[in-house]
Amino acid sequence: MKYKTVIGLEVHVELKTKSKIFCGCSTEFGAAPNTNVCPVCLGLPGVLPVLNKAVVEFAIRAGLALNCQIAEYSKFDRKNYYYPDLPKNFQTSQFDLPIAEHGWLDIEVDGKTKRIGITRIHMEEDAGKLVHAGTITTSDITCVDYNRTGVPLIEIVSEPDLRSPEEAKAYMEKMRTILQYIDVSDCKMEEGSLRCDANISLRLADTEPFGIRAELKNLNSFRSVQRGLEYEQIRQAEILNDGGRVIQETRSFDEGKNVTLSLRSKEQADDYRYFPEPDLPPLVITKQLIDEIRAQLPELPDSRVARLIEQDGLSEYDAKVITATKAMAEYYDAVRVSVTDAKLVANWLTGELARLLNANAVEVEDCPIKAANIVGLLKLLEDGTISGKIAKTVIEEMWQSGKTAKQIVEEKGMVQISNVDEIVIIVEEVINANPQSVEDYRGGKEKAIGFLVGCVMKLSKGRAKPDLVNKLLKERL
Amino acid sequence: MELYRQTINQLQTKITAGEITASDVVASVSKRITEVDAAVEAFITVCADAKANVDNIISRSPLAGMPGAVKDNICTQGIRTTCGSRILENFIPPYNATVVDRLNEAGAVIIGKANQDEFGMGSSTENSGYHITRNPWDLSRVPGGSSGGSAAAVASGQALWALGSDTGGSVRLPAAFCGIVGLKPTYGRVSRYGLVAYASSLDTIGALTRDVYDNALVMNVIAGYDEHDSTSINIPREDYTANIAAGVRGLKIGLPKQYYGEGLSPEVALALEQAIQTYRELGAEIIEVDMPNTDYALSTYYIIATAEASSNLARYDGVSYGLRVEGDNIVDMSEKTREQGFSEEVRRRIMLGTYTLSAGYYDAYYNKALKVRRLIKNDFDAAFKIVDLLLTPVAPTQAFKIGEKTDDPLTMYLSDVCTVTVNLAGVPALSLPCAFANNLPIGMQLIGAPLSEALLLRAGYAFERVSGLANKIAPCGGEQ
Amino acid sequence: MLSREQIEKVASLSRLQLNPQEIEKFSGQIGAIIEYMKVLNSVDTADVEPMIYAVPTHNICREDVRKPSLAHSLALQNAPQSDGNYFVAPTVVEK
Ligand SMILES: [Mg+2]
Ligand SMILES: [Zn+2]
């Protein structure tokens, strides 16, 4: 493509506070419609907001984790626009004095690290949900559920520093990792607790001014972020190639059809008539509060990766997979405390355990195998009680039954045979039964030994110690 | 003397002595309503079951069993709350305003919801979506606004006390026009939770009563910190009756010369002159002060109030409560609903506020007004370094005729010229009768520093004891 | 006087529909009030901080504690239209 892409992201993050930002209603996802509501979040006449302290603390935590400067003085403003998911027809948000500004986060694409600027982070209230019978365009009615109204959000606005859809996806993934690490949000895109709007434009060269941008909405998964932007990149390039002009508009990504569709053009610019929220006194953030929150921040993914590489000697790949979620990183630490071979731990977590989690669509937090039981399994491996192959069967069984590795190995008699005499008997039996393979091997077909080893293992039900089988076979051939 | 003609303080003495019961009081006031409200039309809703539980009240508060009116922009759980607007004709709040909770705890009896200018937008109570309330001293005149129903109810003996709201003078002006006492407290002294917002940074709730002492009694119930209002002042309230009789000897009372300009009617000018003389005789020192930014107050007020109103009233869109006029789609429905549900004045103020907040105008109007607001506040701060209180007229004229000012909105806005400064500065002010002329009352305004309500009531009480103007019941067109 | 375009834009932002007479009337009236408000231009506010809040407090927060929500029936009590679960409104799509 002859064009250069410029992307900036606006990320909305639902904070996992117990109560809403301005009232005591629950923030729980999935309640029956209009049950987590009160006069305040319904925007009834006469109500007033009272700010939830935890929202400010979470926002500061996010600001610090994203290397922002925290405002000494911050206030709320009203953003005025009409939409039926907004009961007051204004959103209490922050305009000119957001809680945090001037941050960054590092992403990695094609093995290269790139720093993406973060313009600002501000606090605001979420809107309700509109439900349409049929589709939005065919339905005559709109059903409104205000449960989500007033759930606290932070909006994180990036600089237009992203240069490709892959970078945008990497940014979102990194954002999720960090926000999960600092425990401010569940970051579940499918539940809407992490949402992304993207501004994308094209230009001929990096030195040119930005082109006209489209705003992309409805990017509901990491895959959508990338695919929606890829589609938009091509769409805009085609327009430009034909000598046309991209129009500034809001477009929605249709995941099923893999296209973006125009929602509304921004010919008449929005006029939100921001003004300071008179019902909420301003915030004065002391250095002491910032220091307290900073002191409570957990180790963040980048420094954790460095630690695993340097101290544990892991590969960069393993270190990144392990630190991709806070839960996995903590799982690793919990196992690693009792197992000296860091690489062994990494191999099993990124290999078998990850496979089981994936196949069963289970999060690390909900893993049925506790870290202590993985320790037990790896100990049996390390002291030679079971082979790697048996261990794979054992972990499967552990996942199903919740039993410890030791229980399973003992119950099923899976202890490895390392007694030479016992193995020799089987080896000789196999040699006698497979004269053709023996001949092939002796004739120079080295591969034939693999078949013979397999036969020994099969006869021993996998319990024969593999290196001994190899050695004893070779001696007799 | 009939019970409805007496003050809360007088009635409680009799109840304590066992001469009467609270039910007798409620019955007397209820009867008065049936007699005169057809002429005055102070209420939008009269609470039929107000009498039901009077005898079960266990509260020892001086307000226990005392019937009063609540302005219809203060939410009452289970009792419709219209704000004087057709757009909320059927709105039943599922919650109580904090002041209503406090009145209920005190055992006060809410006898009705009082008429008002729609959403507080007006100075005459002619701009109600329901009916015009009449001045009980002269039924051809306005009671003032926007708490005109509250003031008329108290002045006519249909309530012993009333709550009003004051955004630019809406408690003080009707108090003056109806010859009663109205206190606009310091912003944040009385919780706004449950007061339907007009202009959030200016709105206050205040009490209207027939004498100063009763006003202190109501303030003792409604004032104080409330965790549901983030702008509530977290300082314990005083006992407003404790020091009320201490007099004004040695107090310095300032006369801001900007309030005594050419616009005052001769009657008002004379009444104020006499009031000043009274205070002198009571031992106060009178000092002229300069408040140079007063002339900018009206513009400042109308910019800020309408801007905030344009946002506060955006919620009336026909979606989840209030009036709905059917339309082809949501925009059409909301536009039709607001067209039918709001009066012309409300729509005018919404558009004015929208205009001054819109792109390109914010700095020239809204932000500029906020800066001038600071200057006006500075004027008060400076004045209160020199004097303890300020004394001014409440309005340049007495109550005007119904229909006299409805044609030109700007003329109506000028009624608020003496009162809006107080809301801009956030300070408290007391409106109380200082004279009668042509059988119509004239009010004066005492303004104090933040949280000086007790001092204001004390100064008002001292005046009232010698003026003979306390507890006047208006004739409502009949014999005095 | 505000121009027709100005008053129409303001009306649209305010969710109000105006007929031609109203446009005429409001543009005159609002124009006159705006004109009156221009008196503020003569005030020197060069070094003046805007007074946003009537009370000079800050950091007024509550603890992150859940409080009971409204009973479902009360929540929907004032709805002009509801299906027992949701508030029901006309479509958001302009047809
Ligand atoms: Mg936002
Ligand atoms: Zn709520």
Side-chain angles (χ1 to χ4, degrees):
Chain A
M1 197 176 72
K2 66 178 176 180
Y3 300 103
K4 309 281 185 190
T5 305
V6 176
I7 297 167
L9 298 182
E10 289 171 15
V11 179
H12 285 90
V13 184
E14 276 186 4
L15 301 178
K16 54 187 224 187
T17 53
K18 294 184 199 73
S19 63
K20 292 186 179 181
I21 182 167
F22 299 128
C23 65
C25 288
S26 166
T27 53
E28 209 77 67
F29 181 79
N34 297 303
T35 53
N36 289 342
V37 293
C38 72
V40 174
C41 56
L42 286 173
L44 293 190
V47 297
L48 296 170
V50 184
L51 179 61
N52 182 343
K53 196 179 183 179
V55 173
V56 182
E57 288 166 0
F58 281 21
I60 294 174
R61 213 190 286 172
L64 292 173
L66 294 168
N67 309 293
C68 290
Q69 289 167 23
I70 307 301
E72 286 173 30
Y73 182 90
S74 184
K75 68 174 170 68
F76 284 92
D77 301 274
R78 293 186 184 178
K79 180 182 184 180
N80 295 285
Y81 66 97
Y82 283 84
Y83 209 65
D85 62 3
L86 206 56
K88 297 170 288 174
N89 285 321
F90 63 79
Q91 181 190 32
T92 306
S93 180
Q94 298 196 282
F95 182 50
D96 56 335
L97 296 170
I99 187 78
E101 283 182 291
H102 312 302
W104 48 263
L105 78 78
D106 285 340
I107 59 166
E108 199 154 319
V109 172
D110 299 333
K112 277 187 230 130
T113 302
K114 185 172 171 185
R115 181 153 294 184
I116 307 300
I118 286 169
T119 316
R120 57 183 276 155
I121 302 177
H122 67 252
M123 301 175 278
E124 61 187 23
E125 58 184 340
D126 207 345
K129 261 194 179 143
L130 301 187
V131 180
H132 308 277
T135 71
I136 185 167
T137 44
T138 58
S139 176
D140 285 335
I141 59 161
T142 307
C143 296
V144 194
D145 174 8
Y146 292 116
N147 280 348
R148 204 179 66 179
T149 307
V151 169
L153 294 177
I154 49 174
E155 179 175 332
I156 304 170
V157 182
S158 85
E159 291 290 306
D161 287 348
L162 298 158
R163 292 291 173 268
S164 70
E166 300 77 56
E167 288 188 8
K169 180 166 175 264
Y171 173 90
M172 286 301 291
E173 285 172 343
K174 186 63 173 288
M175 183 65 77
R176 176 182 60 171
T177 305
I178 291 173
L179 296 174
Q180 284 179 337
Y181 261 71
I182 60 173
D183 211 21
V184 298
S185 173
D186 293 330
C187 292
K188 291 183 180 163
M189 284 193 94
E190 66 282 4
E191 286 183 8
S193 60
L194 179 66
R195 305 198 284 272
C196 172
D197 298 337
N199 287 305
I200 171 168
S201 64
L202 304 186
R203 56 183 169 177
L204 274 170
D206 288 336
T207 49
E208 281 194 11
F210 295 145
I212 296 166
R213 65 194 154 88
E215 187 184 356
L216 223 53
K217 290 196 179 286
N218 209 25
L219 303 169
N220 294 330
S221 64
F222 294 98
R223 210 168 68 123
S224 289
V225 171
Q226 182 163 354
R227 285 174 54 196
L229 286 166
E230 279 167 359
Y231 175 87
E232 191 55 24
Q233 222 174 14
I234 293 165
R235 188 189 71 88
Q236 292 189 12
E238 280 171 0
I239 292 171
L240 295 174
N241 282 338
D242 293 347
R245 266 181 66 241
V246 173
I247 48 172
Q248 187 171 340
E249 62 181 348
T250 306
R251 299 181 70 84
S252 174
F253 180 57
D254 184 326
E255 195 161 12
K257 298 190 180 120
N258 199 29
V259 292
T260 67
L261 301 165
S262 178
L263 279 181
R264 61 194 155 99
S265 77
K266 285 210 172 175
E267 276 156 28
Q268 198 184 355
D270 290 321
D271 191 343
Y272 291 125
R273 289 156 287 132
Y274 279 103
F275 75 100
E277 168 57 272
D279 290 330
L280 290 168
L283 296 168
V284 175
I285 313 292
T286 60
K287 195 178 165 297
Q288 188 198 344
L289 177 67
I290 297 171
D291 289 345
E292 271 170 33
I293 294 173
R294 197 192 303 276
Q296 288 161 11
L297 279 183
E299 188 184 21
L300 294 174
D302 286 351
S303 82
R304 208 149 182 156
V305 166
R307 180 166 63 85
L308 294 191
I309 294 171
E310 276 163 35
Q311 295 179 9
D312 285 7
L314 297 191
S315 72
E316 195 176 318
Y317 175 82
D318 280 351
K320 282 190 173 147
V321 174
I322 284 166
T323 55
T325 66
K326 189 188 180 199
M328 183 57 104
E330 284 174 348
Y331 198 98
Y332 171 85
D333 282 350
V335 177
R336 176 71 178 81
V337 173
S338 315
V339 179
T340 32
D341 186 347
K343 279 185 186 162
L344 180 73
V345 177
N347 283 343
W348 277 84
L349 296 199
T350 61
E352 283 306 298
L353 191 72
R355 187 186 59 76
L356 283 164
L357 289 166
N358 257 327
N360 295 289
V362 169
E363 300 291 329
V364 180
E365 296 92 313
D366 309 319
C367 181
I369 307 178
K370 300 293 152 228
N373 289 352
I374 290 288
V375 170
L377 176 74
L378 298 184
K379 289 257 156 135
L380 293 178
L381 251 177
E382 271 189 322
D383 68 13
T385 308
I386 57 172
S387 68
K389 189 150 186 253
I390 297 249
K392 286 184 185 177
T393 315
V394 174
I395 196 172
E396 196 87 45
E397 182 73 23
M398 288 167 76
W399 181 280
Q400 304 293 345
S401 68
K403 290 179 182 166
T404 66
K406 205 169 171 215
Q407 278 175 313
I408 293 165
V409 167
E410 279 171 5
E411 279 172 22
K412 307 220 161 168
M414 284 169 155
V415 176
Q416 184 164 261
I417 307 169
S418 39
N419 181 313
V420 174
D421 297 345
E422 269 184 64
I423 297 174
V424 164
I425 294 167
I426 303 170
V427 163
E428 287 180 347
E429 198 183 325
V430 167
I431 287 174
N432 291 336
N434 296 285
Q436 185 61 46
S437 297
V438 172
E439 205 163 301
D440 287 351
Y441 178 77
R442 287 181 177 147
K445 268 194 175 175
E446 299 246 326
K447 269 188 178 170
I449 197 164
F451 174 75
L452 295 170
V453 170
C455 291
V456 174
M457 294 309 288
K458 204 172 176 184
L459 269 175
S460 72
K461 297 197 177 96
R463 291 161 57 214
K465 204 175 178 210
D467 52 341
L468 265 180
V469 173
N470 243 309
K471 182 171 160 260
L472 296 172
L473 261 174
K474 279 184 181 163
E475 280 171 11
R476 275 154 187 78
L477 291 170
Chain B
M1 188 161 60
E2 296 209 54
L3 298 181
Y4 73 80
R5 294 188 159 264
Q6 300 177 40
T7 65
I8 296 168
N9 199 27
Q10 290 164 347
L11 293 165
Q12 285 296 353
T13 310
K14 289 182 181 154
I15 290 175
T16 310
E19 294 166 29
I20 57 167
T21 65
S23 330
D24 299 335
V25 178
V26 175
S28 175
V29 170
S30 297
K31 182 160 165 277
R32 177 70 174 170
I33 294 175
T34 59
E35 286 165 3
V36 300
D37 203 47
V40 179
E41 295 193 85
F43 292 99
I44 291 178
T45 304
V46 174
C47 302
D49 56 358
K51 281 172 266 186
N53 295 314
V54 180
D55 290 322
N56 303 333
I57 292 166
I58 45 166
S59 163
R60 301 257 205 110
S61 162
L63 290 197
M66 298 294 112
V70 171
K71 189 176 182 179
D72 214 18
N73 60 355
I74 296 173
C75 285
T76 40
Q77 187 174 344
I79 303 171
R80 75 169 179 155
T81 298
T82 69
C83 297
S85 180
R86 289 290 172 187
I87 214 158
L88 287 175
E89 186 165 2
N90 298 310
F91 177 65
I92 313 279
Y95 77 106
N96 273 331
T98 298
V99 288
V100 171
D101 274 339
R102 289 184 180 176
L103 286 166
N104 284 340
E105 276 163 37
V109 177
I110 294 171
I111 202 148
K113 300 295 297 284
N115 195 21
Q116 60 169 107
D117 287 300
E118 188 177 350
F119 289 103
M121 298 182 179
S123 308
S124 67
T125 317
E126 289 165 288
N127 185 41
S128 163
Y130 297 85
H131 50 256
I132 294 171
T133 293
R134 286 152 204 283
N135 190 314
W137 293 99
D138 177 347
L139 298 177
S140 68
R141 292 178 187 269
V142 303
S146 65
S147 310
S150 299
V154 171
S156 60
Q158 302 185 72
L160 299 175
W161 56 268
L163 293 189
S165 67
D166 191 316
T167 305
S170 286
V171 161
R172 291 160 288 156
L173 184 70
F177 280 10
C178 292
I180 60 169
V181 178
L183 177 66
K184 180 252 170 229
T186 308
Y187 183 89
R189 179 70 298 185
V190 176
S191 170
R192 289 184 296 123
Y193 186 74
L195 166 67
V196 179
Y198 160 19
S200 311
S201 76
L202 302 163
D203 291 341
T204 53
I205 291 177
L208 297 111
T209 53
R210 281 197 302 268
D211 76 3
V212 173
Y213 195 90
D214 278 5
N215 210 290
L217 291 178
V218 180
M219 276 296 285
N220 274 350
V221 171
I222 63 172
Y225 176 69
D226 176 21
E227 62 180 12
H228 294 109
D229 176 356
S230 305
T231 62
S232 172
I233 297 172
N234 196 355
I235 295 174
R237 69 155 180 83
E238 294 170 70
D239 177 349
Y240 296 107
T241 57
N243 214 17
I244 199 163
V248 294
R249 186 158 300 280
L251 282 188
K252 293 190 176 110
I253 297 180
L255 308 178
K257 59 184 181 196
Q258 284 78 4
Y259 290 74
Y260 291 86
E262 288 161 18
L264 294 192
S265 75
E267 292 84 2
V268 171
L270 178 65
L272 264 291
E273 220 171 89
Q274 288 166 346
I276 292 162
Q277 186 53 33
T278 303
Y279 272 117
R280 244 190 221 112
E281 287 161 10
L282 288 169
E285 187 185 342
I286 306 295
I287 300 165
E288 189 170 285
V289 294
D290 188 16
M291 303 186 78
N293 293 293
T294 306
D295 291 345
Y296 308 118
L298 208 57
S299 291
T300 304
Y301 170 78
Y302 274 95
I303 290 169
I304 293 171
T306 57
E308 292 181 8
S310 72
S311 171
N312 283 329
L313 272 62
R315 70 191 65 196
Y316 307 108
D317 59 3
V319 173
S320 58
Y321 50 80
L323 179 72
R324 175 183 294 181
V325 178
E326 297 302 334
D328 299 338
N329 55 57
I330 198 125
V331 174
D332 190 44
M333 180 278 284
S334 289
E335 287 183 348
K336 287 187 166 131
T337 298
R338 291 163 68 80
E339 179 77 17
Q340 254 187 53
F342 288 145
S343 68
E344 188 179 306
E345 177 61 20
V346 170
R347 284 181 287 145
R348 185 161 40 237
R349 292 199 196 189
I350 289 172
M351 285 193 284
L352 186 56
T354 301
Y355 176 82
T356 56
L357 284 177
S358 63
Y361 298 107
Y362 180 87
D363 282 323
Y365 294 102
Y366 191 70
N367 207 37
K368 181 79 181 183
L370 292 181
K371 289 177 177 177
V372 179
R373 181 178 187 180
R374 170 85 57 199
L375 294 176
I376 290 166
K377 164 95 170 100
N378 291 347
D379 278 357
F380 278 95
D381 290 347
F384 290 125
K385 288 205 173 97
I386 304 166
V387 298
D388 300 301
L389 297 170
L390 297 165
L391 176 62
T392 77
V394 179
T397 66
Q398 293 173 276
F400 46 86
K401 291 272 188 190
I402 290 168
E404 193 180 320
K405 296 189 179 181
T406 42
D407 289 342
D408 179 10
L410 255 179
T411 316
M412 185 70 87
Y413 295 177
L414 287 169
S415 316
D416 302 334
V417 69
C418 301
T419 49
V420 294
T421 49
V422 166
N423 300 79
L424 290 167
V427 295
L430 182 71
S431 167
L432 72 162
C434 67
F436 268 73
N438 313 315
N439 289 321
L440 279 178
I442 296 170
M444 66 176 180
Q445 172 171 244
L446 290 164
I447 308 171
L451 297 179
S452 67
E453 285 83 357
L455 179 64
L456 288 172
L457 291 163
R458 184 179 127 195
Y461 187 79
F463 183 88
E464 188 182 80
R465 303 210 69 180
V466 297
S467 73
L469 296 171
N471 196 25
K472 294 272 189 203
I473 300 278
C476 307
E479 294 280 310
Q480 177 67 27
Chain C
M1 282 285 281
L2 297 187
S3 70
R4 190 192 170 82
E5 289 71 40
Q6 280 176 312
I7 205 82
E8 279 181 341
K9 187 195 161 205
V10 166
S12 157
L13 285 171
S14 309
R15 275 283 195 276
L16 294 169
Q17 282 172 358
L18 303 182
N19 61 38
Q21 296 96 298
E22 284 176 321
I23 289 175
E24 182 84 0
K25 184 175 179 182
F26 282 128
S27 65
Q29 286 176 338
I30 293 174
I33 299 167
I34 297 279
E35 212 42 54
Y36 177 82
M37 287 170 169
K38 285 187 177 157
V39 64
L40 296 193
N41 291 339
S42 64
V43 188
D44 179 6
T45 53
D47 299 315
V48 183
E49 271 295 300
M51 181 175 162
I52 297 173
Y53 308 101
V55 179
T57 56
H58 56 81
N59 295 3
I60 306 301
C61 295
R62 61 181 179 84
E63 297 300 317
D64 181 20
V65 175
R66 283 185 189 163
K67 294 268 171 64
S69 292
L70 268 183
H72 187 58
S73 58
L74 271 183
L76 292 170
Q77 168 184 249
N78 285 291
Q81 192 187 347
S82 113
D83 64 1
N85 291 307
Y86 294 96
F87 294 89
V88 176
T91 171
V92 291
V93 179
E94 290 188 39
K95 293 181 184 173

